Amino acid sequence: MRRYFPAGRSALFAFVLLIVTAGSVGAWFYPEWKSGIEWPEPVVVNPGDASTAPSDAVVLFDGTNLDAFNGGEKWTIEDGVAIDGGNITSKEKFGDCQLHLEFATPAEVKGSGQGRGNSGVYLMGRYELQILDSYENETYFDGQCGSIYKQHPPLVNASRGPGEWQSYDIIFTAPKFNEDGTVASPAYVTALHNGVLIQNHFELLGQTAWDSPPEYKPHADREAFSIQFHGNPVRFRNIWVRDLMPQE
Ligand code: MG
């Protein structure tokens, strides 16, 4: 039997050679497609971890103070956590951006519906992504936690219970206006609540309001965002923004 072994090895060698040759010939007849676009190299960003911001983020609250906001003096800061005591507005203005924040509605449940753990992120000061205690708390669907207030309910209810820390990761595209004030392109919101997609590139219909239908009113390319005070001591931590709009 041993005398057949060399022949077997030759056959194996021939087989490997055939595969390699076929591959080369294939590459010759079917060359790789390339777009030809000369992309700039993506900037290196340290992503941080669950409790720190990415290296290119503007950190607005890291547990020390609310100096980055107008109105921050009305809030209480305890153990690195900010407790809602009045509307606050960012001093820095943003257009297209990625916004991260963490919140916890009061552990002691008081009130119901819109009166329970209500706050909100007002993108550009006028487009509200609702914050509410929506854990086993009935209200109108386009007003529950994660809704674009009175425009669109969240895709799912990903709420944690009262007092538990929750996160919002918001990707916002600012609207653009023509010189005559008409909308050139609307605003869009994508949002994750506790890592779960709740708004998927939703096209905003205009500003959000309790007492009037949505309507666009022209404003600047960059505007401050605010956090609502609705009478409930909602807690916040880790607020940061990544500016997605090139500075002029
Ligand atoms: Mg609200």
Side-chain angles (χ1 to χ4, degrees), residues 39-96:
W39 295 105
E41 183 178 353
V43 172
V44 175
V45 170
N46 181 335
D49 58 33
S51 63
T52 57
S55 58
D56 64 345
V58 180
V59 177
L60 298 177
F61 178 62
D62 65 358
T64 52
N65 63 65
L66 285 170
D67 290 355
F69 292 89
N70 290 313
E73 68 281 354
K74 289 178 260 174
W75 288 38
T76 307
I77 296 173
E78 275 177 13
D79 301 325
V81 170
I83 304 166
D84 196 344
N87 293 326
I88 57 171
T89 304
S90 67
K91 290 178 181 170
E92 189 162 342
K93 296 179 176 180
F94 302 96
D96 300 350

Side-chain angles (χ1 to χ4, degrees), residues 114 118-122 128-132 149 228 230:
Q114 294 289 308
N118 197 331
S119 179
V121 184
Y122 276 72
E128 185 187 12
L129 178 67
Q130 174 71 302
I131 288 175
L132 194 74
Y149 188 69
Q228 182 190 40
H230 202 281

Side-chain angles (χ1 to χ4, degrees), residues 104-183:
T105 60
E108 185 188 347
V109 173
K110 284 183 182 171
S112 62
Q114 294 289 308
R116 187 169 137 186
N118 197 331
S119 179
V121 184
Y122 276 72
L123 298 153
M124 303 194 100
R126 43 177 62 75
Y127 310 111
E128 185 187 12
L129 178 67
Q130 174 71 302
I131 288 175
L132 194 74
D133 179 353
S134 281
Y135 185 82
E136 299 179 352
N137 176 33
E138 282 185 24
T139 189
Y140 41 98
F141 301 133
D142 58 4
Q144 73 178 63
C145 195
S147 64
I148 302 298
Y149 188 69
K150 288 191 176 172
Q151 291 189 28
H152 197 241
L155 298 171
V156 292
N157 181 348
S159 295
R160 294 200 173 109
E164 289 190 59
W165 282 106
Q166 312 194 51
S167 63
Y168 267 167
D169 288 284
I170 305 163
I171 295 102
F172 179 69
T173 304
K176 307 282 183 293
F177 298 93
N178 298 310
E179 288 201 353
D180 65 359
T182 55
V183 177

Side-chain angles (χ1 to χ4, degrees), residues 160-224:
R160 294 200 173 109
E164 289 190 59
W165 282 106
Q166 312 194 51
S167 63
Y168 267 167
D169 288 284
I170 305 163
I171 295 102
F172 179 69
T173 304
K176 307 282 183 293
F177 298 93
N178 298 310
E179 288 201 353
D180 65 359
T182 55
V183 177
S185 60
Y188 294 96
V189 173
T190 294
L192 292 94
H193 182 192
N194 300 323
V196 177
L197 184 72
I198 53 161
Q199 298 290 346
N200 188 8
H201 199 60
F202 174 71
E203 180 183 325
L204 276 114
L205 308 171
Q207 66 183 33
T208 57
W210 178 71
D211 57 356
S212 59
E215 179 189 5
Y216 274 110
K217 290 179 183 157
H219 56 74
D221 290 345
R222 289 177 175 273
E223 294 281 0

Side-chain angles (χ1 to χ4, degrees), residues 94-106:
F94 302 96
D96 300 350
C97 64
Q98 174 184 352
L99 194 162
H100 171 93
L101 59 80
E102 293 159 38
F103 65 91
T105 60

